[in-house]
Amino acid sequence: MRKKKLHIGSRRTQRQLRVGELIRRTLADILTRQESHDPDLNRFSITVGEVRMSSDLKIATIYVLPLGGNDAQNALELLNENRHDLRRIVNKKTTLKFSPDLRFKLDETFDLMDNTRRLFESETVQRDIKN
């Protein structure tokens, strides 16, 4: 009898990546075309940065950020309020056997990139790079 190896960290299978990308593209298209029934949500231009699927593909964690990062918390609340409607639309537009539960989180990678850019522009780092 073979024992299953436990994977430590965030190793994702090819299937998780493929389903996550399918949901990301579909959801980005839905939000771009303003197909939600909520006019408050439709006034936001939202970027869908990444979708991470749970190992059983039942939960999709979606990392989003409104254009310019303005009023991000309000946009996040509206997305979570409309997640059942968005799930229904995603299910209609994809060929997935089961539609995962959608969970929205703010995408903080843009802030990390800005911090890294600022760090590289500092005088001490520039001095170290030149030496």
PDB file of all heavy atoms in Angstrom, residues 119-131:
ATOM      1  N   LEU A 119      11.715  50.849  -3.041  1.00  0.00           N
ATOM      2  CA  LEU A 119      12.934  50.351  -2.420  1.00  0.00           C
ATOM      3  C   LEU A 119      14.106  50.430  -3.404  1.00  0.00           C
ATOM      4  O   LEU A 119      15.185  50.889  -3.054  1.00  0.00           O
ATOM      5  CB  LEU A 119      12.728  48.911  -1.951  1.00  0.00           C
ATOM      6  CG  LEU A 119      13.888  48.251  -1.232  1.00  0.00           C
ATOM      7  CD1 LEU A 119      14.154  48.938   0.100  1.00  0.00           C
ATOM      8  CD2 LEU A 119      13.590  46.784  -1.005  1.00  0.00           C
ATOM      9  N   PHE A 120      13.886  50.009  -4.643  1.00  0.00           N
ATOM     10  CA  PHE A 120      14.944  50.060  -5.645  1.00  0.00           C
ATOM     11  C   PHE A 120      15.332  51.488  -6.018  1.00  0.00           C
ATOM     12  O   PHE A 120      16.447  51.732  -6.463  1.00  0.00           O
ATOM     13  CB  PHE A 120      14.547  49.293  -6.913  1.00  0.00           C
ATOM     14  CG  PHE A 120      14.813  47.818  -6.810  1.00  0.00           C
ATOM     15  CD1 PHE A 120      13.759  46.916  -6.877  1.00  0.00           C
ATOM     16  CD2 PHE A 120      16.090  47.330  -6.647  1.00  0.00           C
ATOM     17  CE1 PHE A 120      13.995  45.549  -6.786  1.00  0.00           C
ATOM     18  CE2 PHE A 120      16.340  45.983  -6.548  1.00  0.00           C
ATOM     19  CZ  PHE A 120      15.287  45.083  -6.611  1.00  0.00           C
ATOM     20  N   GLU A 121      14.430  52.424  -5.846  1.00  0.00           N
ATOM     21  CA  GLU A 121      14.728  53.817  -6.174  1.00  0.00           C
ATOM     22  C   GLU A 121      15.449  54.565  -5.050  1.00  0.00           C
ATOM     23  O   GLU A 121      15.937  55.666  -5.261  1.00  0.00           O
ATOM     24  CB  GLU A 121      13.443  54.561  -6.541  1.00  0.00           C
ATOM     25  CG  GLU A 121      12.863  54.107  -7.866  1.00  0.00           C
ATOM     26  CD  GLU A 121      11.496  54.702  -8.139  1.00  0.00           C
ATOM     27  OE1 GLU A 121      10.950  55.410  -7.270  1.00  0.00           O
ATOM     28  OE2 GLU A 121      10.956  54.447  -9.228  1.00  0.00           O
ATOM     29  N   SER A 122      15.527  53.959  -3.863  1.00  0.00           N
ATOM     30  CA  SER A 122      16.171  54.649  -2.736  1.00  0.00           C
ATOM     31  C   SER A 122      17.675  54.807  -3.006  1.00  0.00           C
ATOM     32  O   SER A 122      18.291  54.023  -3.726  1.00  0.00           O
ATOM     33  CB  SER A 122      15.940  53.880  -1.429  1.00  0.00           C
ATOM     34  OG  SER A 122      16.723  52.715  -1.410  1.00  0.00           O
ATOM     35  N   GLU A 123      18.247  55.845  -2.404  1.00  0.00           N
ATOM     36  CA  GLU A 123      19.655  56.169  -2.644  1.00  0.00           C
ATOM     37  C   GLU A 123      20.591  55.060  -2.193  1.00  0.00           C
ATOM     38  O   GLU A 123      21.567  54.746  -2.881  1.00  0.00           O
ATOM     39  CB  GLU A 123      20.014  57.469  -1.926  1.00  0.00           C
ATOM     40  CG  GLU A 123      19.403  58.695  -2.550  1.00  0.00           C
ATOM     41  CD  GLU A 123      19.781  59.951  -1.793  1.00  0.00           C
ATOM     42  OE1 GLU A 123      20.872  59.977  -1.169  1.00  0.00           O
ATOM     43  OE2 GLU A 123      18.997  60.898  -1.833  1.00  0.00           O
ATOM     44  N   THR A 124      20.299  54.453  -1.061  1.00  0.00           N
ATOM     45  CA  THR A 124      21.206  53.423  -0.547  1.00  0.00           C
ATOM     46  C   THR A 124      21.213  52.187  -1.445  1.00  0.00           C
ATOM     47  O   THR A 124      22.276  51.608  -1.685  1.00  0.00           O
ATOM     48  CB  THR A 124      20.816  53.008   0.888  1.00  0.00           C
ATOM     49  OG1 THR A 124      19.438  52.625   0.906  1.00  0.00           O
ATOM     50  CG2 THR A 124      21.047  54.125   1.867  1.00  0.00           C
ATOM     51  N   VAL A 125      20.073  51.800  -1.949  1.00  0.00           N
ATOM     52  CA  VAL A 125      20.015  50.641  -2.839  1.00  0.00           C
ATOM     53  C   VAL A 125      20.690  50.978  -4.165  1.00  0.00           C
ATOM     54  O   VAL A 125      21.457  50.175  -4.701  1.00  0.00           O
ATOM     55  CB  VAL A 125      18.555  50.179  -3.054  1.00  0.00           C
ATOM     56  CG1 VAL A 125      18.489  49.103  -4.122  1.00  0.00           C
ATOM     57  CG2 VAL A 125      17.965  49.664  -1.746  1.00  0.00           C
ATOM     58  N   GLN A 126      20.451  52.168  -4.697  1.00  0.00           N
ATOM     59  CA  GLN A 126      21.094  52.593  -5.940  1.00  0.00           C
ATOM     60  C   GLN A 126      22.617  52.604  -5.787  1.00  0.00           C
ATOM     61  O   GLN A 126      23.332  52.170  -6.694  1.00  0.00           O
ATOM     62  CB  GLN A 126      20.593  53.968  -6.377  1.00  0.00           C
ATOM     63  CG  GLN A 126      19.199  53.963  -6.948  1.00  0.00           C
ATOM     64  CD  GLN A 126      19.122  53.159  -8.231  1.00  0.00           C
ATOM     65  OE1 GLN A 126      19.988  53.244  -9.091  1.00  0.00           O
ATOM     66  NE2 GLN A 126      18.081  52.354  -8.344  1.00  0.00           N
ATOM     67  N   ARG A 127      23.084  53.064  -4.634  1.00  0.00           N
ATOM     68  CA  ARG A 127      24.525  53.100  -4.378  1.00  0.00           C
ATOM     69  C   ARG A 127      25.087  51.683  -4.345  1.00  0.00           C
ATOM     70  O   ARG A 127      26.136  51.411  -4.918  1.00  0.00           O
ATOM     71  CB  ARG A 127      24.801  53.815  -3.046  1.00  0.00           C
ATOM     72  CG  ARG A 127      26.273  53.980  -2.749  1.00  0.00           C
ATOM     73  CD  ARG A 127      26.512  54.610  -1.395  1.00  0.00           C
ATOM     74  NE  ARG A 127      25.981  53.706  -0.383  1.00  0.00           N
ATOM     75  CZ  ARG A 127      25.213  54.067   0.662  1.00  0.00           C
ATOM     76  NH1 ARG A 127      24.927  55.312   0.857  1.00  0.00           N
ATOM     77  NH2 ARG A 127      24.773  53.180   1.523  1.00  0.00           N
ATOM     78  N   ASP A 128      24.360  50.732  -3.719  1.00  0.00           N
ATOM     79  CA  ASP A 128      24.806  49.350  -3.648  1.00  0.00           C
ATOM     80  C   ASP A 128      24.793  48.671  -5.027  1.00  0.00           C
ATOM     81  O   ASP A 128      25.651  47.863  -5.314  1.00  0.00           O
ATOM     82  CB  ASP A 128      23.943  48.547  -2.674  1.00  0.00           C
ATOM     83  CG  ASP A 128      24.178  48.953  -1.228  1.00  0.00           C
ATOM     84  OD1 ASP A 128      25.184  49.626  -0.958  1.00  0.00           O
ATOM     85  OD2 ASP A 128      23.336  48.613  -0.383  1.00  0.00           O
ATOM     86  N   ILE A 129      23.817  49.021  -5.831  1.00  0.00           N
ATOM     87  CA  ILE A 129      23.722  48.428  -7.165  1.00  0.00           C
ATOM     88  C   ILE A 129      24.893  48.894  -8.030  1.00  0.00           C
ATOM     89  O   ILE A 129      25.476  48.105  -8.778  1.00  0.00           O
ATOM     90  CB  ILE A 129      22.372  48.777  -7.840  1.00  0.00           C
ATOM     91  CG1 ILE A 129      21.241  48.064  -7.114  1.00  0.00           C
ATOM     92  CG2 ILE A 129      22.383  48.417  -9.310  1.00  0.00           C
ATOM     93  CD1 ILE A 129      19.862  48.463  -7.591  1.00  0.00           C
ATOM     94  N   LYS A 130      25.260  50.169  -7.922  1.00  0.00           N
ATOM     95  CA  LYS A 130      26.328  50.713  -8.752  1.00  0.00           C
ATOM     96  C   LYS A 130      27.688  50.200  -8.349  1.00  0.00           C
ATOM     97  O   LYS A 130      28.610  50.166  -9.145  1.00  0.00           O
ATOM     98  CB  LYS A 130      26.300  52.253  -8.701  1.00  0.00           C
ATOM     99  CG  LYS A 130      25.106  52.806  -9.428  1.00  0.00           C
ATOM    100  CD  LYS A 130      25.061  54.309  -9.315  1.00  0.00           C
ATOM    101  CE  LYS A 130      23.808  54.831 -10.016  1.00  0.00           C
ATOM    102  NZ  LYS A 130      23.672  56.277  -9.874  1.00  0.00           N
ATOM    103  N   ASN A 131      27.854  49.817  -7.108  1.00  0.00           N
ATOM    104  CA  ASN A 131      29.162  49.318  -6.629  1.00  0.00           C
ATOM    105  C   ASN A 131      29.370  47.883  -6.916  1.00  0.00           C
ATOM    106  O   ASN A 131      28.956  47.006  -7.185  1.00  0.00           O
ATOM    107  CB  ASN A 131      29.321  49.561  -5.120  1.00  0.00           C
ATOM    108  CG  ASN A 131      29.482  51.052  -4.843  1.00  0.00           C
ATOM    109  OD1 ASN A 131      29.924  51.794  -5.687  1.00  0.00           O
ATOM    110  ND2 ASN A 131      29.082  51.442  -3.651  1.00  0.00           N
TER     111      ASN A 131
END
